[in-house]
């Protein structure tokens, strides 16, 4: 398939069949990791607030604490999901001088640009330490609403949540409550449980939220990269070699 997320293809009959499914994992590595860093900068530098002033043609002379631009250096990026996007984001975050924590379901050798590799049992630690929680896990039965009220309350009041994966990984009712009541400082959201995001959604009215319409993976190079993966797999298939990007249909990714 031409996507990285495959949950909508995994109906029971297909999962139980011997048919192989390959995805386009890797296509989104550059554009989504860049969007994540962009959202970090927008939130850190308070650009979402200054854009509002620009639209109002308002030159702000009194810079209060909530308007002082912050730095990414020495902040902690907690990456929930360490696939292609997570790895690229970790490298870019380290280039900004951030401490990088990453949670991965299966053990792996730690790259030099990641400070700690964590397992699923370390989720609470990741949440409590992160200044920027970056969600890049696929949507499965295990990850549905894995970030809910309990998890959001573990985060720092100064922390931000960035979701570029699937909206349903975060319980949106809990997230709205967290944003309104100050459990966390804000959020950068490219994905939502209901898309398009309804006009009456409270997210539109929250000033501490940056919203993009599920476009973080879009790039002028998308088709070329998908075709490259397809052609590689076609050659491998004809030569009887193992395919790349084979989906574990039971695991959901």
């Amino acid at each position: 398939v031409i996507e990285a997320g495959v949950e909508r293809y995994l109906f029971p009959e297909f999962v139980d069949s011997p048919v192989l499914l390959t995805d386009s994992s890797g296509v989104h590595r550059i554009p989504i990791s860049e969007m994540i860093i962009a959202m970090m900068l927008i939130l850190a530098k308070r650009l979402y607030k200054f854009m509002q002033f620009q639209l109002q043609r308002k030159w702000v002379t009194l810079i209060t604490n909530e308007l002082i631009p912050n730095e990414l250096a020495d902040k902690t990026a907690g990456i929930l999901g360490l696939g292609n996007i997570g790895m690229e984001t970790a490298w870019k975050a380290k280039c900004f001088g951030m401490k990088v924590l990453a949670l991965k379901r299966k053990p792996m050798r730690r790259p030099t640009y990641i400070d700690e590799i964590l397992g699923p049992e370390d989720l609470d630690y990741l949440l409590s330490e992160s200044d920027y929680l970056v969600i890049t896990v696929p949507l499965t039965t295990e990850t549905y609403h894995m970030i809910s009220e309990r998890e959001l309350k573990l985060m720092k009041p100064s922390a931000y949540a960035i979701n570029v994966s699937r909206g349903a990984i975060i319980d949106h009712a809990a997230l709205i409550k967290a944003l309104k009541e100050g459990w966390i400082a804000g959020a950068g959201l490219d994905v939502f449980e209901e898309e398009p995001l309804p006009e009456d959604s409270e997210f539109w009215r929250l000033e501490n939220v940056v919203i993009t319409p599920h476009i973080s993976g879009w790039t002028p190079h998308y088709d070329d990269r998908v075709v490259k993966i397809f052609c590689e797999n076609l050659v491998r298939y004809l030569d009887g070699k193992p395919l790349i990007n084979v989906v574990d249909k039971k695991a959901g990714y």
Side-chain angles (χ1 to χ4, degrees):
V1 297
I2 63 172
E3 303 159 283
V6 296
E7 68 276 359
R8 66 193 183 102
Y9 300 101
L10 299 179
F11 51 90
E13 294 81 3
F14 182 51
V15 171
D16 294 334
S17 77
V19 177
L20 284 178
L21 175 66
T22 62
D23 63 18
S24 296
S25 180
V27 169
H28 305 101
R29 177 178 60 86
I30 293 174
I32 294 185
S33 64
E34 289 183 355
M35 179 66 82
I36 290 167
I37 297 297
M39 284 187 169
M40 285 184 180
L41 289 168
I42 287 169
L43 293 166
K45 300 303 181 183
R46 319 300 196 219
L47 296 183
Y48 61 102
K49 293 180 179 291
F50 288 108
M51 285 298 295
Q52 294 172 11
F53 295 140
Q54 178 179 334
L55 293 173
Q56 299 167 10
R57 302 180 185 181
K58 182 178 179 181
W59 183 275
V60 180
T61 55
L62 179 61
I63 304 298
T64 60
N65 285 338
E66 66 174 13
L67 290 178
I68 295 176
N70 212 325
E71 299 178 352
L72 294 185
D74 296 325
K75 296 294 190 297
T76 298
I79 300 175
L80 186 55
L82 199 56
N84 288 300
I85 297 168
M87 290 286 281
E88 185 72 15
T89 302
W91 178 78
K92 287 182 167 71
K94 181 55 68 175
C95 290
F96 277 88
M98 301 183 77
K99 179 180 179 180
V100 180
L101 310 179
L103 188 148
K104 187 172 175 62
R105 190 166 173 260
K106 298 178 182 178
M108 65 171 288
R109 185 175 180 179
R110 180 179 65 85
T112 56
Y113 50 86
I114 297 178
D115 294 279
E116 294 183 58
I117 297 283
L118 308 171
E121 69 280 3
D122 300 311
L123 176 60
D124 289 1
Y125 170 73
L126 179 81
L127 294 169
S128 64
E129 291 292 314
S130 297
D131 295 297
Y132 295 87
L133 174 67
V134 179
I135 298 171
T136 62
V137 291
L139 178 61
T140 67
T141 54
E142 292 181 1
T143 62
Y144 176 80
H145 280 192
M146 73 180 299
I147 304 299
S148 194
E149 185 168 318
R150 187 192 78 86
E151 288 74 25
L152 290 165
K153 285 184 175 178
L154 290 174
M155 295 177 66
K156 302 175 184 179
S158 58
Y160 296 93
I162 297 175
N163 190 7
V164 293
S165 183
R166 290 292 186 266
I169 292 166
I170 303 182
D171 179 340
H172 277 189
L175 179 58
I176 288 172
K177 189 175 181 182
L179 291 165
K180 291 173 69 174
E181 297 184 7
W183 305 352
I184 62 175
L189 304 174
D190 183 57
V191 289
F192 299 87
E193 289 195 84
E194 183 179 356
E195 296 181 1
L197 188 64
E199 290 184 10
D200 61 351
S201 171
E202 286 193 75
F203 282 118
W204 293 117
R205 298 189 290 274
L206 294 173
E207 294 187 357
N208 54 347
V209 177
V210 175
I211 293 173
T212 51
H214 204 148
I215 48 82
S216 65
W218 289 36
T219 168
H221 309 293
Y222 194 97
D223 290 345
D224 290 340
R225 290 171 182 163
V226 168
V227 169
K228 185 176 181 180
I229 292 172
F230 174 80
C231 290
E232 172 68 18
N233 264 341
L234 180 59
V235 171
R236 285 170 174 257
Y237 178 77
L238 294 174
D239 289 343
K241 296 179 179 178
L243 304 183
I244 60 173
N245 288 2
V246 175
V247 173
D248 182 338
K249 294 187 291 182
K250 297 291 185 181
Y253 59 93

